[in-house]
Amino acid sequence: MKKPLNALYAGLLTVLMIFVFTCCDYVSDKKRDSESNTASDTAETIEPITSGDTGDESLEESETESEEESESETESESGEVVQKNSAVHENVAYDNIEKTAWGLVGQKPSLPSTGDVEVLVIPISFTNTDYEKYGTKTEIIERLEKAFNGTEEQTGWYSLSGYYKEVSYGKLNIHANISEVYETGEAYDVKKGVSGKTDCDYLLGALEYFDDRIDYSVYDQNDDGKIDCVYMVYLAPYYSSSDLWWAYFYSYYGKTVKYDNIEVCDYLWFSYEFFDEYISVYRTENGKRQYVYVDINCETLIHETGHALGLDDYYDYEDGGVVGGLAYFDMMDGTQGDHCPYSKAILGWISPTVVYEKDYTATLRSFASTGDTIIISKNDGGTYFEEYYMIALYTPTGVNEIKKEHQCGIPEHTGIMIWHVDATLIDKEDFDEEVDTEIDITLYNNGGASRKLITLVCADGSDEIDTTDDYEVSDKDLYAAKRVITGLKWYDGTDVGVTVTIGEFTSAEETEQTKITLKYGE
């Protein structure tokens, strides 16, 4: 959850990142935290996936069409013939966002999304902290070390560092430095306290206390003169009905305070007890609820870090507008699984192939393993911030694997996922950095806008993901092997005009893959 006063960060990375058309290789190497326009047009009904849809045969080498642009003629409303250039831009990288973004936004994301990133973690204790429950201070620090920097064996799933190294294909390496426990000298009361006030008092108190022992300047890694993000882990229970005693990413808006000549700014606040949450729940054949636990559940920590990187929530967090998020099928919706292709694109972790009205055939490998993604572009506008479709091959591997059999929004079998994105930016004159309310830089979002920023096209032709707020993605929402997909629509109702043909699902070098063919005009 991101807090409502965080005006500049809700959609912080959704700013102009211009495509650089380069021919580099593909990158190869929980429950919602919600308090809480109509449904998009989807493709024609396709048979749902079954376990028998996965083939064993090896895939042929990909055959791609020429990357040279070709002209086609279309007729405008006035009857005038207009020349259009169709094109395929393979493996598109994004430009350095520092060159274009900050004139619009005025600030940088809290955490860099690539490279080696150091973060500061401060445990916050109270006079009534239950050390018999949590362990000694030394044991708490040791457990935090595992939660932030540990291995899969130490956590039972992924640590914060391990997760982001995995989903970014090695492009983001987070390392946390755990401080000693800061004692507030106060008792906590989960029914009292004000977010943006009580938590900020603890933040400033802790930074002052450790000032002579910590060089805060090392935590300004994006060179904006501000401490990137302080992780405060409070040693007290969380309380979902509280504005304060919950988990969120927030910004300090008080009087300017500097340590080591670096301003206090963003922080992440969450309970130590989130590590003890069950990681999954499902019903047995007799209807009994079965809970699955790991040693340290880092899902909430990982989700909130997504906000620090600049990602918005993808669940439905406001009344009105479109209904439902991504049906739990994303770390920024259901606090589980992987990040979607759109998120990874704007964070600079993947380099999609962009196809604009040109026939194209290529091999698409497992998204979880490689990040392979095809974008069907509407306007060939050279930016991630417009309307398009994204195609990727989902596999129940990596960060998805632990829940694949639990029917909780993580499909059990391999299938093609198609995302419909409209990341059109708001008009620059409508962006007011002085307004202290939540502002998305994109015109649309997944929580209350007239239509979604991103939605999944359901392979069974249903619109449940856009009309039901408790819907969960399953195998039937992914496209199976050997399927032919037609009928994709843009939001203005016009036909995309493309036929997507899926090949067999095969494996090469232990990576699942398939052949995808885009054919226009049929």
Side-chain angles (χ1 to χ4, degrees), residues 78 112 339 399 474:
S78 64
H339 284 292
V399 297
S474 64

Side-chain angles (χ1 to χ4, degrees), residues 50-63:
T50 64
S51 58
D53 287 320
T54 301
D56 301 320
E57 301 171 7
S58 59
L59 193 66
E60 299 177 13
E61 187 174 348
S62 297
E63 299 175 0

Side-chain angles (χ1 to χ4, degrees), residues 206-456:
L207 293 176
E208 179 67 29
Y209 179 78
F210 291 117
D211 187 28
D212 60 348
R213 284 172 278 176
I214 297 176
D215 179 5
Y216 297 116
S217 66
V218 303
Y219 298 105
D220 178 20
Q221 292 152 109
N222 56 17
D223 298 321
D224 64 352
K226 299 174 182 179
I227 300 174
D228 294 333
C229 182
V230 178
Y231 286 73
M232 289 194 289
V233 184
Y234 61 86
L235 302 175
Y238 60 85
Y239 184 53
S240 60
S241 297
S242 169
D243 188 44
L244 173 64
W245 303 102
W246 192 233
Y248 51 80
F249 169 77
Y250 209 12
S251 299
Y252 168 73
Y253 284 99
K255 181 180 178 181
T256 300
V257 178
K258 291 186 177 182
Y259 294 99
D260 299 319
N261 204 35
I262 304 296
E263 280 187 39
V264 177
C265 189
D266 297 328
Y267 60 92
L268 199 151
W269 170 262
F270 70 102
S271 170
Y272 187 76
E273 294 194 4
F274 277 109
F275 294 133
D276 296 319
E277 280 193 319
Y278 57 84
I279 198 166
S280 189
V281 59
Y282 63 95
R283 290 193 180 275
T284 60
E285 291 183 358
N286 61 8
K288 183 179 180 181
R289 289 170 67 87
Q290 183 70 41
Y291 296 90
V292 179
Y293 291 89
V294 293
D295 291 337
I296 306 175
N297 182 356
C298 297
E299 288 181 309
T300 298
L301 172 63
I302 290 166
H303 172 96
E304 298 304 333
T305 297
H307 293 315
L309 292 169
L311 300 178
D312 198 356
D313 283 314
Y314 294 155
Y315 57 75
D316 188 2
Y317 49 80
E318 295 180 13
D319 294 332
V322 292
V323 176
L326 294 180
Y328 298 88
F329 190 42
D330 191 83
M331 177 52 67
M332 300 312 295
D333 177 21
T335 315
Q336 65 175 355
D338 204 350
H339 284 292
C340 68
Y342 169 75
S343 294
K344 293 191 183 188
I346 66 172
L347 292 175
W349 297 343
I350 64 174
S351 299
T353 291
V354 180
V355 179
Y356 175 60
E357 297 190 352
K358 186 175 179 64
D359 295 348
Y360 178 71
T361 299
T363 295
L364 204 58
R365 300 169 297 170
S366 164
F367 179 74
S369 300
T370 69
D372 283 4
T373 305
I374 296 172
I375 289 178
I376 301 175
S377 177
K378 181 180 182 182
N379 300 310
D380 200 25
T383 173
Y384 290 122
F385 301 104
E386 58 183 6
E387 186 181 357
Y388 48 86
Y389 283 88
M390 306 184 88
I391 304 175
L393 178 64
Y394 166 84
T395 55
T397 57
V399 297
N400 300 312
E401 187 169 4
I402 195 172
K403 299 186 180 184
K404 66 180 183 179
E405 298 177 359
H406 296 164
Q407 288 123 31
C408 56
I410 300 293
E412 188 173 349
H413 298 103
T414 295
I416 287 292
M417 54 185 181
I418 299 182
W419 302 93
H420 191 177
V421 177
D422 191 343
T424 302
L425 295 171
I426 63 173
D427 292 335
K428 185 172 181 179
E429 55 267 27
D430 293 335
F431 180 83
D432 184 355
E433 64 182 9
E434 301 301 321
V435 176
D436 287 336
T437 55
E438 181 177 287
I439 297 177
D440 292 324
I441 295 175
T442 52
L443 187 60
Y444 307 108
N445 58 58
N446 278 41
S450 59
R451 63 175 176 242
K452 289 182 180 180
L453 165 67
I454 177 170
T455 192
L456 186 71

Side-chain angles (χ1 to χ4, degrees), residues 55 195 262 471 499:
S195 64
I262 304 296
Y471 182 72
T499 297

